[in-house]
Amino acid sequence: MGTNLISLFDIKLGTMDATNDFGAPENGSEFLNGPAGSSPTILGIPAFPAPQLGVVMQTELDYLNFKIGRYPGGTNRLSLGDTFSIAELGLPIRQKGVFRFGFWRHTELERNDATLGTVQDVYGVLEYDFSDNVSGFFQYGTVDPSFSEIKRHWAHGVTVSPTSSGDIFGGIMMSHAKFRNEKEERLCELFLSFPLKKRFSIKPSLTLIRRPFGNNESPEAIIFNVRLNLTL
């Protein structure tokens, strides 16, 4: 449900996946792995498969876009205690990209020692279309390590379509997570999507994970996936 307020603000109210409005780069949406979406440092952001009731207010001017959202923290009921709030400012870049800077706050979140507290931090997302066939993104986020195993994360990726129709396209994405014990995990994903029939396409992808969960003794993980897409 949406409405217009004084011709300046759009208000959206309902059950929502907050990553459709905040934090997640659109140029990373074709990748399978989560790090290409919203940063894992944004703790408690409502997302698929568990959207939450919330409200989003947005205003868009010639040189900036500003939006703010508020959601229940860990339930789908209205709450004045446990809440997740987020605000994001978007600045366009030469009509080819956008830089988005965000701030989020989660109250009554459980720490690693099982006590409750409030955590807040910032993130940044840069998206740019280098041409009609090449687009990329970069994102960065940090978080208080007393609430999360991950304290810092960044990811970047590029998507390329060699044809003007865009039916065939592929991409590569790399992600880096630093844990509170100073160990690191690196992830790389490569995918290719191509049509089989008019409304049917296939997308094989290959993912390599070095030092899973920051464990230096763990072997590298290699994951092969195939996604079938049907357009109705």
Side-chain angles (χ1 to χ4, degrees):
M1 178 176 67
T3 185
N4 185 271
L5 179 64
I6 319 180
S7 300
L8 289 177
F9 297 96
D10 290 324
I11 299 176
K12 182 168 61 173
L13 175 66
T15 301
M16 292 175 276
D17 179 337
T19 62
N20 290 332
D21 296 297
F22 301 95
E26 294 182 11
N27 288 349
S29 61
E30 293 293 344
F31 293 95
L32 179 64
N33 288 279
S38 64
S39 172
T41 59
I42 307 177
L43 302 182
I45 185 170
F48 177 85
Q52 292 185 4
L53 180 66
V55 58
V56 174
M57 178 180 290
Q58 175 177 342
T59 182
E60 186 169 354
L61 305 176
D62 291 338
Y63 300 103
L64 63 85
N65 176 289
F66 178 74
K67 48 191 171 183
I68 185 169
R70 188 175 177 91
Y71 311 83
T75 177
N76 212 20
R77 299 177 180 177
L78 293 176
S79 172
L80 298 178
D82 183 8
T83 59
F84 178 85
S85 304
I86 188 168
E88 186 177 282
L89 177 66
L91 302 173
I93 304 173
R94 299 179 181 178
Q95 298 183 340
K96 291 186 176 182
V98 61
F99 172 71
R100 292 186 278 136
F101 175 79
F103 171 83
W104 60 271
R105 184 174 188 265
H106 196 157
T107 64
E108 297 188 13
L109 189 66
E110 186 174 298
R111 295 186 177 92
N112 294 322
D113 62 5
T115 61
L116 295 179
T118 296
V119 60
Q120 57 194 27
D121 221 303
V122 297
Y123 66 89
V125 176
L126 173 64
E127 300 190 76
Y128 197 80
D129 296 329
F130 300 97
S131 69
D132 292 339
N133 304 95
V134 182
S135 61
F137 76 91
F138 175 84
Q139 65 164 304
Y140 181 86
T142 61
V143 68
D144 184 345
S146 65
F147 287 86
S148 170
E149 292 297 326
I150 297 175
K151 70 175 187 178
R152 184 166 63 248
H153 169 264
W154 58 261
H156 61 95
V158 175
T159 303
V160 179
S161 176
T163 62
S164 58
S165 64
D167 291 339
I168 302 175
F169 59 94
I172 184 170
M173 181 272 295
M174 288 179 284
S175 166
H176 176 277
K178 190 162 188 176
F179 294 83
R180 62 188 182 120
N181 59 6
E182 299 301 324
K183 295 184 178 181
E184 301 176 347
E185 175 191 274
R186 296 179 184 270
L187 179 149
C188 180
E189 177 186 345
L190 178 69
F191 80 87
L192 176 66
S193 178
F194 54 92
L196 295 179
K197 290 193 175 183
K198 184 176 181 180
R199 296 186 177 181
F200 192 63
S201 63
I202 186 170
K203 183 194 291 184
S205 68
L206 184 67
T207 301
L208 170 65
I209 306 176
R210 298 188 61 191
R211 299 187 294 272
F213 304 106
N215 189 341
N216 293 331
E217 299 180 357
S218 296
E220 295 182 350
I222 300 176
I223 306 169
F224 179 73
N225 293 280
V226 177
R227 177 181 294 183
L228 302 176
N229 298 312
L230 176 62
T231 303
L232 301 177

